[in-house]
Amino acid sequence: MAIAVSTFGEFKGKRVDQFRLTSTTGVSVDIIGYGVAVRDWRVPVAGGDRSVVLGFDSMAAYAEHSPHFGSLAGRVANRIKGASFELNGKTYKLPANAGDLQLHGGDEGLGRQVWDGQVDEGNNSVRFTHFSPDGAMGYPGNVNFSATYTLKGNRLRLELAATTDQATPISLVQHQYFNLDTTADVLDHTISINSSAYTALGDDLAPTGAILPSRGTIYDLRTPRTMRDANGQPVDYDMGLTLDTGRSHSEPIATVVSPAKDLTLRLWSDRPGVQVYNGVWTDIPVPGLDGKSYKKHAGFCLEDQAYADAVHNPHFPNVIYSPERPYSHWCEFEIA
């Protein structure tokens, strides 16, 4: 089916394009060049279609208020303790943007850049590219990034790649905020994740380095549960779960079912972990899609990624890439 291309707006003098992918099953996905953000994602349901992500109708709202709604985060997703790291005997200082941490690559990270998009109608896909120069947000290396979204039926696949001219940390993540229902919060969605451990956090929300078993904790999501406790009170999630090594990539790492059980989300990924977040800090002062109000727990994120702060924890999976070790990463969502 034809891919519709339009101008969504402008950011820092650059035109921001929007690409609408449509599938034979009636799914439509709007992706903008700003941060490669999935702006809207509509899935057929009884009586029409339903938007299943959080987003905005204007470029100004993204620039001023978006907490990475639908975008890519990087160069390094999640938190880096002390906003610095050492590599090959050199200390790199990064701009802090979350206390003394750097979060999601900094205030001018990849999720806040305008990417170029090129359509591939034969595959019903769009390939986005961005060049990040040496020193961008404090990181070494000239890096060429690409992100390709492909829609087939009810499945949206993301393929990420990067090449660099020197060793540098890279860990990207898709940052979709989902709500499979029409309610103001996602607390009554049922979630299950194939994980038996998590990375313990310090008071600054950066990992301590410990990997702990999740059995008996609120982070044990192997048995499906809602995001409420036994008394019906909300449970806050902002935690990195580890995925079993040697698992089959043909099996979903996460499944979420809407309260009405009319939509089910499944996520596949090749990453070693997933950050589970249910909008603990969400409080958006402007309307979102269809005039919706986005407050605490308005959406949930399943951020498939390397472990947070891996640059300070050598026993975590390696996030240092080089000319001899290019970066690649894929994930796939199905909502039906």
Side-chain angles (χ1 to χ4, degrees):
M1 303 180 72
I3 298 172
V5 183
S6 59
T7 299
F8 182 68
E10 186 177 283
F11 180 72
K12 294 185 176 179
K14 295 182 178 180
R15 188 184 75 244
V16 176
D17 291 329
Q18 175 174 281
F19 302 84
R20 174 167 293 176
L21 301 175
T22 307
S23 78
T24 55
T25 57
V27 175
S28 67
V29 179
D30 294 344
I31 309 168
I32 59 174
Y34 176 74
V36 195
V38 173
R39 192 187 69 82
D40 199 0
W41 182 341
R42 293 182 180 267
V43 179
V45 294
D49 62 23
R50 180 180 301 161
S51 179
V52 294
V53 293
L54 276 56
F56 296 111
D57 288 318
S58 74
M59 185 59 237
Y62 276 97
E64 297 170 14
H65 301 293
S66 178
H68 285 89
F69 278 163
S71 69
L72 299 181
R75 290 186 186 188
V76 176
N78 217 309
R79 297 168 174 88
I80 292 182
K81 194 175 182 68
S84 68
F85 64 93
E86 292 188 6
L87 180 61
N88 295 333
K90 182 177 179 179
T91 299
Y92 291 89
K93 297 290 188 179
L94 311 174
N97 63 334
D100 67 347
L101 310 173
Q102 187 182 85
L103 174 67
H104 291 331
D107 285 339
E108 297 182 6
L110 297 180
R112 305 193 188 281
Q113 301 293 325
V114 178
W115 296 50
D116 297 320
Q118 183 175 9
V119 303
D120 179 353
E121 292 197 346
N123 289 309
N124 202 31
S125 66
V126 183
R127 182 175 185 266
F128 295 89
T129 56
H130 178 70
F131 172 71
S132 181
D134 181 37
M137 283 287 94
Y139 292 96
N142 294 295
V143 185
N144 286 289
F145 290 96
S146 70
T148 303
Y149 269 112
T150 303
L151 179 64
K152 302 290 186 184
N154 287 62
R155 290 197 181 199
L156 183 67
R157 181 179 176 87
L158 171 61
E159 295 172 284
L160 297 165
T163 57
T164 176
D165 62 357
Q166 63 177 288
T168 190
I170 301 174
S171 178
L172 308 185
V173 71
Q174 54 71 30
H175 209 293
Q176 318 297 338
Y177 282 69
F178 293 100
N179 185 337
L180 305 180
D181 203 70
T182 58
T183 53
D185 64 62
V186 296
L187 297 171
D188 294 309
H189 286 60
T190 301
I191 183 170
S192 59
I193 296 180
N194 186 18
S195 166
S196 57
Y198 66 98
T199 52
L201 301 181
D203 292 340
D204 59 0
L205 300 182
T208 64
I211 298 175
L212 303 178
S214 59
R215 182 180 297 276
T217 75
I218 62 170
Y219 308 119
D220 189 354
L221 301 176
R222 290 173 294 179
T223 300
R225 58 164 293 165
T226 67
M227 301 181 205
R228 297 184 185 273
D229 65 17
N231 297 316
Q233 296 303 304
V235 175
D236 292 344
Y237 285 104
D238 190 5
M239 177 61 65
L241 304 184
T242 68
L243 302 172
D244 295 338
T245 58
R247 60 189 170 84
S248 171
H249 289 162
S250 65
E251 296 296 325
I253 63 171
T255 302
V256 183
V257 181
S258 68
K261 296 181 172 56
D262 55 350
L263 287 178
T264 298
L265 177 153
R266 295 179 177 86
L267 168 63
W268 294 260
S269 174
D270 67 349
R271 294 296 87 185
V274 59
Q275 185 85 7
V276 181
Y277 175 62
N278 64 353
V280 177
W281 317 109
T282 303
D283 186 11
I284 308 300
V286 298
L289 295 176
D290 301 324
K292 294 176 183 175
S293 176
Y294 299 144
K295 301 300 181 183
K296 186 175 182 178
H297 299 133
F300 67 87
C301 303
L302 299 171
E303 305 165 52
D304 63 306
Q305 60 186 268
Y307 301 171
D309 203 33
V311 292
H312 290 128
N313 292 281
H315 58 294
F316 286 2
N318 184 19
V319 297
I320 304 301
Y321 294 86
S322 66
E324 299 74 31
R325 187 186 183 227
Y327 176 88
S328 65
H329 166 185
W330 65 266
C331 64
E332 192 166 291
F333 284 98
E334 178 185 73
I335 302 177

